[in-house]
Amino acid sequence: MDTQQTPADADAGEDFAFDVLAQRCPSRPVLEHITGRWGSLVLIALREKPARFNELRRRVGGVSEKMLAQGLHALERDGFVAREVHSTIPPRVEYSLTPLGSQTAEMLWELIMHLEYAMPHVLRSQQSYDAAASAEA
Amino acid sequence: MDTQQTPADADAGEDFAFDVLAQRCPSRPVLEHITGRWGSLVLIALREKPARFNELRRRVGGVSEKMLAQGLHALERDGFVAREVHSTIPPRVEYSLTPLGSQTAEMLWELIMHLEYAMPHVLRSQQSYDAAASAEA
DNA sequence: CAGTATCCGAGAGGATACTG
DNA sequence: CAGTATCCTCTCGGATACTG
């Protein structure tokens, strides 16, 4: 990354909030690629180590070929994932995280860890919510 | 949060990776609530300060009543958002972040800031990808 | 104001078959 | 193995109208 700003600009970041929320910014689709149903899981799966297509497919539970290919294309296009082709027989294609992808995966990982940690709390909240909902019905 | 584990348990977290990827865990839907198209934006929008329904709707660009209501319900059920009803006329309902929601919003915020910061890089990556794609076509 | 109910189109996403 | 192409379904999500 060789942008002009420095991370110390974080305070100027409040401006970005408006941008993201105002949906006229180009970052929304990208955000959805990395947070979407499969995008996040692919990044997490690649976090450990690079993988080939079917290996990746096994690593991420429940993803179809179509969705995996689609997700990988999007992430490659956005520059989060690198694709390396070895033109052998049988073909061998390795997917790995770029530095940017690696940073992003790390942040996603923290988010997921936070979430897993909070899950007991969440489940209890869901139960009381459902109990209250069925009580008034 | 009053779970048993401490944040220092982070190393045990690698076990969670498998859980999330294996899609047999209850955290997937919750992850989708907070990372989904509107969920993340609602959390970000509430990060600054609590808001009422229509105020929130104005703050998040492009969200429909239906999706906002749906997202708020999910987030409330999961315990990220608190809903406070003032039975007046006209009715007044305030949405705010719970402590858990606040932590989560903060992590999302960091992710989005990271993304905004990386956007120039991403856009360039997209351009070269598209150029290469149309070149071979 | 704060929603719910309904209808409808578009796209997400899965299963299968096929190609290099 | 590493995908693409096709079909089909089902949910997402927007617009509109209505209620308390």
Side-chain angles (χ1 to χ4, degrees), chain A residues 111 114-115 117-119 121-122 125, chain B residues 1 30 33-35 38-50 71-72 74-83 95-110 112:
Chain A
L111 181 63
H114 166 70
L115 184 61
Y117 180 68
M119 274 308 289
H121 184 271
V122 169
S125 173
Chain B
M1 260 184 300
V30 179
H33 291 160
I34 62 179
T35 62
W38 301 117
S40 56
L41 297 178
V42 167
L43 288 176
I44 293 298
L46 283 176
R47 203 181 67 105
E48 275 186 71
K49 59 177 187 291
L72 282 171
L75 291 174
E76 187 196 353
R77 193 176 102 98
D78 293 343
F80 294 107
V81 165
R83 181 190 147 135
Y95 293 93
S96 60
L97 292 178
T98 62
L100 174 58
S102 192
Q103 292 165 24
T104 308
E106 216 52 41
M107 306 194 71
L108 275 172
W109 178 249
E110 284 174 31
I112 288 181

Side-chain angles (χ1 to χ4, degrees), chain A residues 100-120:
Chain A
L100 174 58
S102 193
Q103 293 166 24
T104 308
E106 217 52 42
M107 307 194 71
L108 274 173
W109 178 250
E110 283 173 32
L111 181 63
I112 288 180
M113 287 309 299
H114 166 70
L115 184 61
E116 290 280 356
Y117 180 68
M119 274 308 289

Side-chain angles (χ1 to χ4, degrees), chain B:
Chain B
M1 260 184 300
D2 49 340
T3 46
Q4 320 79 324
Q5 305 177 68
T6 71
D9 269 334
D11 280 343
E14 298 298 332
D15 299 337
F16 287 144
F18 210 70
D19 277 6
V20 177
L21 295 175
Q23 128 261 45
R24 39 183 171 66
C25 69
S27 58
R28 277 235 194 148
V30 179
L31 179 62
E32 278 158 36
H33 291 160
I34 62 179
T35 62
R37 181 153 182 208
W38 301 117
S40 56
L41 297 178
V42 167
L43 288 176
I44 293 298
L46 283 176
R47 203 181 67 105
E48 275 186 71
K49 59 177 187 291
R52 299 168 58 182
F53 189 86
N54 280 306
E55 187 185 346
L56 201 47
R57 190 156 169 241
R58 263 171 266 118
R59 228 185 268 182
V60 178
V63 65
S64 67
E65 287 186 3
K66 180 186 169 184
M67 285 302 104
L68 181 55
Q70 209 171 91
L72 282 171
H73 281 329
L75 291 174
E76 187 196 353
R77 193 176 102 98
D78 293 343
F80 294 107
V81 165
R83 181 190 147 135
E84 190 182 355
V85 185
H86 306 263
S87 299
T88 57
I89 295 180
R92 179 184 184 86
V93 182
E94 282 237 332
Y95 293 93
S96 60
L97 292 178
T98 62
L100 174 58
S102 192
Q103 292 165 24
T104 308
E106 216 52 41
M107 306 194 71
L108 275 172
W109 178 249
E110 284 174 31
L111 181 62
I112 288 181
M113 286 308 299
H114 166 70
L115 184 61
E116 290 280 357
Y117 181 68
M119 275 307 289
H121 184 270
V122 169
L123 291 176
R124 260 179 283 122
S125 173
Q126 290 179 348
Q127 283 168 14
S128 51
Y129 182 95
D130 293 345
S134 62
E136 79 184 52

Side-chain angles (χ1 to χ4, degrees), chain A residues 57-133:
Chain A
R57 193 160 167 239
R58 264 171 265 121
R59 228 186 268 181
V60 178
V63 66
S64 67
E65 288 187 3
K66 180 185 169 185
M67 284 301 105
L68 181 55
Q70 209 170 92
L72 282 171
H73 281 330
L75 292 174
E76 188 195 352
R77 193 175 102 98
D78 292 343
F80 295 107
V81 165
R83 179 190 150 138
E84 190 180 354
V85 186
H86 306 264
S87 299
T88 57
I89 295 179
R92 179 184 185 84
V93 181
E94 282 236 332
Y95 292 94
S96 60
L97 292 178
T98 63
L100 174 58
S102 193
Q103 293 166 24
T104 308
E106 217 52 42
M107 307 194 71
L108 274 173
W109 178 250
E110 283 173 32
L111 181 63
I112 288 180
M113 287 309 299
H114 166 70
L115 184 61
E116 290 280 356
Y117 180 68
M119 274 308 289
H121 184 271
V122 169
L123 291 177
R124 261 179 282 122
S125 173
Q126 290 179 348
Q127 283 168 14
S128 52
Y129 182 95
D130 294 343

Side-chain angles (χ1 to χ4, degrees), chain A residues 2-105:
Chain A
D2 51 338
T3 46
Q4 320 78 322
Q5 303 177 68
T6 71
D9 268 333
D11 280 343
E14 298 298 332
D15 299 336
F16 286 146
F18 210 70
D19 276 5
V20 178
L21 294 175
Q23 125 264 41
R24 36 182 174 67
C25 68
S27 57
R28 278 237 193 144
V30 179
L31 179 62
E32 278 159 37
H33 291 161
I34 63 179
T35 62
R37 180 152 183 209
W38 301 118
S40 56
L41 297 179
V42 168
L43 287 176
I44 293 298
L46 284 177
R47 204 181 67 104
E48 276 186 71
K49 59 176 185 292
R52 299 169 59 183
F53 190 86
N54 280 306
E55 186 184 348
L56 201 48
R57 193 160 167 239
R58 264 171 265 121
R59 228 186 268 181
V60 178
V63 66
S64 67
E65 288 187 3
K66 180 185 169 185
M67 284 301 105
L68 181 55
Q70 209 170 92
L72 282 171
H73 281 330
L75 292 174
E76 188 195 352
R77 193 175 102 98
D78 292 343
F80 295 107
V81 165
R83 179 190 150 138
E84 190 180 354
V85 186
H86 306 264
S87 299
T88 57
I89 295 179
R92 179 184 185 84
V93 181
E94 282 236 332
Y95 292 94
S96 60
L97 292 178
T98 63
L100 174 58
S102 193
Q103 293 166 24
T104 308

